[in-house]
Amino acid sequence: MISIEENYSLKELNTFSIDVRAANYSELTELSQLVDMAQHHAFRQGLLVLGGGSNFLFTKSVDQWVIHNQLKGIHQIQENANYVWIEASAGENWHEFVRHTIEKGYGGIENLSLIPGYLGATPVQNIGAYGAEVKDVITEVKAWHIQEKRFYSFSNEDCRFGYRDSIFKHKYKNQLIITSVIFRLSKNPEFNIEYGGIRKELEKMKITTLSLKAISDAVINIRRAKLPDPAQIGNAGSFFKNPVIKKELFKPLTKEYPSMPFYKTKTDEYKIPAAWLIEQCGWKGYRKGNIGIHPHQALILVNYGGADGKEIFDLSKQIIASVKNKFGLQLQREVNNYGESGVEST
Ligand code: FAD
Ligand code: NAP
């Protein structure tokens, strides 16, 4: 049985702390609750699956039935000389899961420490940070199709992972509830400390022998120093994706802006840090009333308290327009915007 609450406040369930309500809201704690969901009156309005709410901007109250995933459980299901396979339920807290695997001595997700949210959301946007992406350790995603009343199993390839992207943002958007994810983690981890100041932080920490825990602690220290804590200032992390552009577009841009940072991708394209583009347009540290752009991180839009989701969305529109105007580049939103026509990301 699944119980449904009506007119439920989502303020504590989204890291922007936007005060909106869900017409219907349920907590999913047992797989057995899935079976009868399609029979409920609330299902007629469609579904919105919520994890930690750290990648949502709500600009209006939610007509859809909000399913808050609280499925728990972590099990080692397979092992060989080099790897372990761990199946973990979608409602587990991601960072706690990362620390659990580190305690066990299994490597692969230490660079993804302190990313907010639940484990079940990690394949949705293929979370990434400090040179790691979750796609590199996922072997299977299990999900329940509510209308079809059956489980789907997605192999890594089926997930169509891309840069902050997967099939769950497209073909299966709002149709599936991811119930668990299987990760293949290494018993003989290779450490990745080349990215984003990790090496420098390890030196500062006076680490002489590398370990999974030391890398995780270094990432935690960098993140705590640089990123606003949603418990203090409402935000959903990077609001925009970094544009990845083709050579033909990159060449004239880099000629015009020789100081523009860039990273060449494996596919011979160029990733331009969106934070730099936004900063060049003069937005960094901007504040108007309750909303603004973080003074240390131009990619992070913030709610200083009491803001309306629409104000933040409108600010994101202005930023997109000014970057387009100055550089001719179209920023895409990374955060899922819940607005008039349901959830849209761009
Ligand atoms: P939610 O915001 O609840 O949901 C996000 C999307 O996933 C929605 O479309 C939702 O419908 C869907 N979804 C959630 N759970 C399920 C499920 N079980 N089944 C089907 N669909 C589901 N992201 C990064 O990639 N890298 C970072 O380094 C990073 N740093 C961040 C730092 C801060 C301070 C903040 C606030 C956010 C950051 N993020 C980062 C963004 C965010 O934390 C991640 O995208 C995270 O994985 C979202 O998890 P969540 O549980 O909060 O998802
Ligand atoms: P940063 O280290 O200041 O770097 C700025 C941008 O340049 C990053 O977005 C990163 O792209 C890119 N970059 C830096 N070094 C790179 C390299 N060696 N190779 C390829 N690309 C490189 O970024 P930051 O804001 O402090 O964030 C650090 C990490 O945490 C980044 O990976 C970032 O994605 C992640 N993060 C994500 C969110 C979110 O909500 N999605 C929020 C906070 C932090 P990538 O973003 O592609 O890595």
Side-chain angles (χ1 to χ4, degrees), residues 194-209:
E194 297 313 317
Y195 188 102
I198 298 182
R199 187 183 286 279
K200 225 172 166 187
E201 182 61 29
L202 288 165
E203 279 166 20
K204 205 166 122 197
M205 291 160 62
K206 302 199 178 352
I207 297 292
T208 45
T209 313

Side-chain angles (χ1 to χ4, degrees), residues 50-113:
L50 184 66
S54 64
N55 210 6
F56 265 117
L57 173 65
F58 292 105
T59 53
K60 69 181 276 291
S61 55
V62 182
D63 309 322
Q64 277 86 344
W65 184 10
V66 173
I67 305 292
H68 193 200
N69 197 315
Q70 301 281 299
L71 297 168
K72 305 278 187 205
I74 299 175
H75 307 281
Q76 184 172 316
I77 54 169
Q78 205 185 322
E79 181 172 12
N80 67 18
N82 299 318
Y83 296 103
V84 290
W85 282 258
I86 296 179
E87 178 167 7
S89 296
E92 291 287 344
N93 173 283
W94 173 251
H95 178 65
E96 283 168 20
F97 176 68
V98 172
R99 293 299 282 196
H100 168 82
T101 62
I102 289 169
E103 268 168 36
K104 295 263 181 196
Y106 305 146
I109 49 178
E110 58 282 359
N111 290 43
L112 300 176
S113 295

Side-chain angles (χ1 to χ4, degrees), residues 13-16 28 47-56 67-69 71 90-92 94 111-130 142-143 164 168-169 172-174 176-180 223 227-230 235-238 300 334-336 343 345:
L13 300 181
N14 71 98
T15 59
F16 257 126
L28 176 70
L47 276 192
L48 188 142
V49 188
L50 184 66
S54 64
N55 210 6
F56 265 117
I67 305 292
H68 193 200
N69 197 315
L71 297 168
E92 291 287 344
W94 173 251
N111 290 43
L112 300 176
S113 295
L114 212 65
I115 297 182
Y118 292 6
L119 186 145
T122 62
V124 176
Q125 80 151 0
N126 175 26
I127 59 164
Y130 299 95
K142 293 184 183 172
R164 306 288 188 270
F168 308 111
K169 281 186 147 188
Y172 291 109
K173 192 169 183 151
N174 297 328
L176 297 173
I177 299 179
I178 294 171
T179 52
S180 67
R223 293 184 75 104
L227 301 172
D229 177 357
N235 76 90
S238 307
I300 300 186
E334 178 180 303
V335 171
N336 296 281
V343 181
S345 306

Side-chain angles (χ1 to χ4, degrees), residues 118-166:
Y118 292 6
L119 186 145
T122 62
V124 176
Q125 80 151 0
N126 175 26
I127 59 164
Y130 299 95
E133 286 182 298
V134 77
K135 75 171 174 53
D136 295 330
V137 291
I138 288 179
T139 59
E140 190 180 339
V141 173
K142 293 184 183 172
W144 177 257
H145 196 298
I146 300 161
Q147 193 132 33
E148 294 177 10
K149 286 194 177 188
R150 70 177 179 101
F151 274 104
Y152 273 67
S153 162
F154 295 87
S155 68
N156 182 292
E157 201 182 312
D158 294 336
C159 293
R160 309 251 174 92
F161 287 123
Y163 178 57
R164 306 288 188 270
D165 202 18
S166 75

